Amino acid sequence: MSYLNREDRRAMILNAAKELVLKEGILALTARKLSTYAQVSVGQIHHHFSSLIALKTEVFLSLMDHINDINRLSQTDDWQEKLYLLLGLGNPEALKPYLKIYNEVLVLMDKDEAYKVAFGLATQRWHDSLTHLIHEGQEQGAIQVDPNKNIADIAWRLIALIVGLDSLLSLNNYSKTAALAISQDNANRYIEQLIAYEFTDLE
């Protein structure tokens, strides 16, 4: 392998870890597997990252920042399309691996404080991006927001609905809980209803 300075080698290892996590998930990331994938020694991984959990949480936050960068991801200037993309609606193919990782860490955070901290930070960043997008939609005239409503609160309500519905939809994978599960069509309907409630003049 050609010579890389410290920063470049660390970035190379981090990028390889992100690729692996997108393919196989957070739990599948081990130092040995990453060593083989990135063609570096296990010692190099430990040299650049204080622990495997530190590497995993950094990978997670970096991937979540990637999908929050809505202006880079979106191929349109349509505000409503950006909103739906930022909410992960319709589960566009490009977002599926990222949403799977978000849900994986949602489960893991009860087992390790580091995951809980990372999940909280990722969710706060998601909220910040959503709040910014709502302000942008208001400035563009794409929506009107009731002056009695707080935009930051609207963003939290939308996130709460998305995360909650996603948890309920996951129950569809377990036959014993089928009675508790909801359909994707119903989930979409609930989301549409909340968006209609929160905004007027949504084009």
Side-chain angles (χ1 to χ4, degrees), residues 134-143:
I134 295 169
H135 278 294
E136 187 180 283
Q138 195 175 29
E139 290 167 6
Q140 293 174 357
I143 53 163

Side-chain angles (χ1 to χ4, degrees), residues 39-108:
Q39 296 183 333
V40 296
S41 69
V42 170
Q44 280 284 345
I45 295 169
H46 291 301
H47 176 71
H48 290 286
F49 299 92
S50 59
S51 66
L52 189 58
I53 190 70
L55 172 59
K56 288 181 176 184
T57 55
E58 186 171 344
V59 165
F60 169 69
L61 286 170
S62 180
L63 292 175
M64 294 305 102
D65 285 344
H66 181 80
I67 61 172
N68 281 336
D69 188 0
I70 205 66
N71 288 316
R72 184 186 50 73
L73 282 177
S74 179
Q75 297 179 351
T76 178
D77 290 329
D78 181 81
W79 184 86
Q80 184 175 350
E81 188 172 321
K82 287 182 179 181
L83 173 68
Y84 278 55
L85 188 61
L86 190 54
L87 292 174
L89 296 182
N91 287 328
E93 286 301 316
L95 293 184
K96 280 185 178 178
Y98 296 89
L99 300 175
K100 182 178 177 184
I101 293 160
Y102 184 84
N103 290 327
E104 188 178 6
V105 174
L106 174 61
V107 173
L108 290 171

